[in-house]
């Protein structure tokens, strides 16, 4: 995604959604929220957004000074940010922000450090951890209990070897 137009100081900014497309001719947009509470989208740093209603996985929204389809289309793929302190506090150890996982060490089930989280991605089929292994290879691991049984100060990876380049041999891991 493109960063917000005035996006500076990205270290304290957290992406909470992305403008997916224009909707209609009056400048409305469809926003794909990356947050549990869509109301955060109305607090973004670079735009004054008014949410209209839910459209499946998208939120229909109006953006101040975006009055026609052409202006709305120009914002397609624009990431929407809030500051870290705008996010609700989390008191539960089993709940976390994906942003907090970036840079966290990954260990195998015996506790040996094997890499570090580079990013959290979602290409439509579910969340993935992008992990840079100690070998330098980068792998995408499905963020499921089957492959990531524990998230704490370190992230435990199970059966990650099947996602390494040497084991893929032209296909996905066995089902």
């Amino acid at each position: 995604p493109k960063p917000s137009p005035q996006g500076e100081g990205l270290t304290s900014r957290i992406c909470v959604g992305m403008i997916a497309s224009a909707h209609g001719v009056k400048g409305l947009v469809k926003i794909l929220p990356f947050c549990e509470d869509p109301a955060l989208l109305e607090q973004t740093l670079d735009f004054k957004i008014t949410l209209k209603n839910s459209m499946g996985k998208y939120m229909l929204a109006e953006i101040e000074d975006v009055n026609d389809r052409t202006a709305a289309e120009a914002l397609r793929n624009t990431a929407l940010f809030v500051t870290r302190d705008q996010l609700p506090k989390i008191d539960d150890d089993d709940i976390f922000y994906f942003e907090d996982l970036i840079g966290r060490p990954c260990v195998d089930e015996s506790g040996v450090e094997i890499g570090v989280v580079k990013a959290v991605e979602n290409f439509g089929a579910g969340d993935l951890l992008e992990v840079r292994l100690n070998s330098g290879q980068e792998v995408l691991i499905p963020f499921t209990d089957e492959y990531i049984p524990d998230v704490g100060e370190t992230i435990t990876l199970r059966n990650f070897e099947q996602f390494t380049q040497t084991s893929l041999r032209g296909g996905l891991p066995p089902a």
Side-chain angles (χ1 to χ4, degrees):
K2 295 185 280 189
S4 299
Q6 293 84 30
E8 294 179 14
L10 294 177
T11 54
S12 65
R13 295 162 54 101
I14 307 296
C15 184
V16 293
M18 182 179 66
I19 298 173
S21 66
H23 180 81
V25 296
K26 295 184 178 182
L28 296 178
V29 296
K30 290 195 310 188
I31 297 175
L32 179 62
F34 300 148
C35 50
E36 206 169 280
D37 181 7
L40 276 172
L41 298 170
E42 293 184 307
Q43 300 174 34
T44 60
L45 298 172
D46 299 316
F47 300 99
K48 183 167 178 6
I49 294 175
T50 304
L51 297 178
K52 297 296 186 183
N53 60 296
S54 177
M55 295 181 66
K57 67 179 183 176
Y58 299 100
M59 294 298 298
L60 186 62
E62 178 180 16
I63 298 177
E64 186 175 88
D65 298 325
V66 176
N67 301 312
D68 60 42
R69 184 171 185 86
T70 303
E73 286 175 341
L75 295 174
R76 182 183 184 113
N77 294 327
T78 298
L80 302 171
F81 295 91
V82 297
T83 59
R84 177 61 190 231
D85 60 346
Q86 289 176 282
L87 297 175
K89 297 280 185 230
I90 298 175
D91 295 325
D92 187 338
D93 289 341
D94 293 329
I95 299 175
F96 44 83
Y97 290 114
F98 283 168
E99 187 74 21
D100 295 338
L101 300 180
I102 297 170
R104 198 167 290 196
C106 297
V107 298
D108 63 16
E109 290 187 283
S110 63
V112 175
E113 189 168 324
I114 56 173
V116 65
V117 175
K118 182 179 172 191
V120 181
E121 304 287 354
N122 187 318
F123 300 109
D127 296 320
L128 301 165
L129 282 188
E130 184 175 349
V131 176
R132 177 176 287 132
L133 299 175
N134 291 342
S135 67
Q137 182 180 0
E138 294 178 3
V139 295
L140 292 172
I141 311 288
F143 204 145
T144 63
D145 290 339
E146 180 179 354
Y147 299 108
I148 302 174
D150 185 51
V151 176
E153 291 301 312
T154 61
I155 298 172
T156 303
L157 302 182
R158 177 188 297 147
N159 299 324
F160 72 94
E161 298 88 355
Q162 64 185 314
F163 297 101
T164 61
Q165 200 161 25
T166 55
S167 67
L168 285 179
R169 294 195 181 100
L172 294 174

